[in-house]
Amino acid sequence: MFDWNDLKSFLAVAETGSTLAAAQALRVSQTTVARRIAALEQATGLTLFERRQAGYALTVAGEGMLASALAVREAADRFGEAAGARSRDAGGTVSLTTMEIFAVTILPPILRDLRAAHPEIHIRLDTADEPRDLAAGAADIAIRSSKQPTGAGLVGRRIADNPWTLYSSRDYADRHGIPHSREQLAAHPFIGGGGGVWEPYQAWLRQYGLEESVVMQYDSASGLLAGVRSGMGLTILPAFLADREPDLIRCIPPKTEDTTGLWLLTHERLRHVPRVRTVLDFLAKELTALARE
């Protein structure tokens, strides 16, 4: 079998009429071009050029091979263009939306490893607590804590159970003890707020007559995490991350009717876009591994 580089030299000499001009076009030495022509002739058993003082001229055999050689080059060019197009599609920006509390705890090492594995992909991280509309193009991928995600055309998977339940810091527990029943909660201060978390959290507090126990309110779930880490009091956090915080202790089990899960989602029109598929598969693998720890 002949070498593709030999065929490129054959075409360059056929088009320019000399090994010198071909070498300049190919950005190699004249000796290299002459050697490749000789190698191609040996491989095919054909004399492709007449060596004349004025340059190289195609023989009858060379003329007969020219059309096939051009077809090979055209096919190689099409292959390169297709590969380049796919490479460009596989790279680019992927927008990922999730609650800030996940963005500042579990995601940084995962996104670091994603960047190392796929440097052609850039992540734009949206940390809004309110769910973005994937159908409207507000984001490409979402990591959501939800009982059942809603939205047109959503596809994805449930990564793990993720109930929101009550936590304290180890320092707080050492100083004030841990409430082991809902009846003991009234003796402890609560950290409230949490942006989009606040409505169901407030309903939970109201159910047990604990609204007056809130001593500080934050406007984000990350604020809840910061407050409970400080030892200020108790708060509700997502178990998927809070159970992995070495300084936190779960005070009471979640309500049995709480079936909240951690979901990895995209829109059906994006699921086969190479860069989105790459990020989805990577996140699914890493988050699932984290859930199994």
Side-chain angles (χ1 to χ4, degrees), residues 78-228:
R78 287 196 301 271
F79 179 87
E81 290 168 2
R86 184 162 183 84
S87 177
R88 289 189 296 274
D89 202 23
T93 299
V94 174
S95 57
L96 171 63
T97 180
T98 190
M99 295 179 68
E100 184 184 20
I101 194 169
F102 296 124
V104 300
T105 54
I106 62 174
L107 276 182
I110 294 176
L111 295 180
R112 175 202 62 206
D113 293 345
L114 172 63
R115 173 64 183 167
H118 301 282
E120 74 281 5
I121 295 176
H122 298 266
I123 298 295
R124 184 173 70 246
L125 194 59
D126 176 358
T127 58
D129 283 348
E130 295 300 323
R132 296 301 193 192
D133 187 350
L134 301 189
D140 299 322
I141 297 172
I143 299 173
R144 289 184 186 169
S145 179
S146 172
K147 290 186 177 181
Q148 182 63 50
T150 58
L154 293 184
V155 293
R157 67 182 73 180
R158 182 185 174 113
I159 297 295
D161 290 340
N162 186 41
W164 289 64
T165 192
L166 202 62
Y167 291 85
S168 77
S169 69
R170 293 187 181 278
D171 175 66
Y172 179 92
D174 289 342
R175 289 184 289 112
H176 303 289
I178 304 171
H180 292 293
S181 68
R182 302 190 189 278
E183 290 72 25
Q184 297 174 5
L185 296 179
H188 296 268
F190 279 74
I191 305 158
V197 178
W198 180 231
E199 185 176 345
Y201 184 4
Q202 190 175 33
W204 185 89
L205 291 169
R206 189 180 302 118
Q207 180 182 358
Y208 294 99
L210 297 170
E211 284 185 280
E212 298 302 318
S213 297
V214 175
V215 298
M216 174 72 72
Q217 285 194 216
Y218 287 90
D219 64 0
S220 71
S222 296
L224 299 180
L225 179 60
V228 74

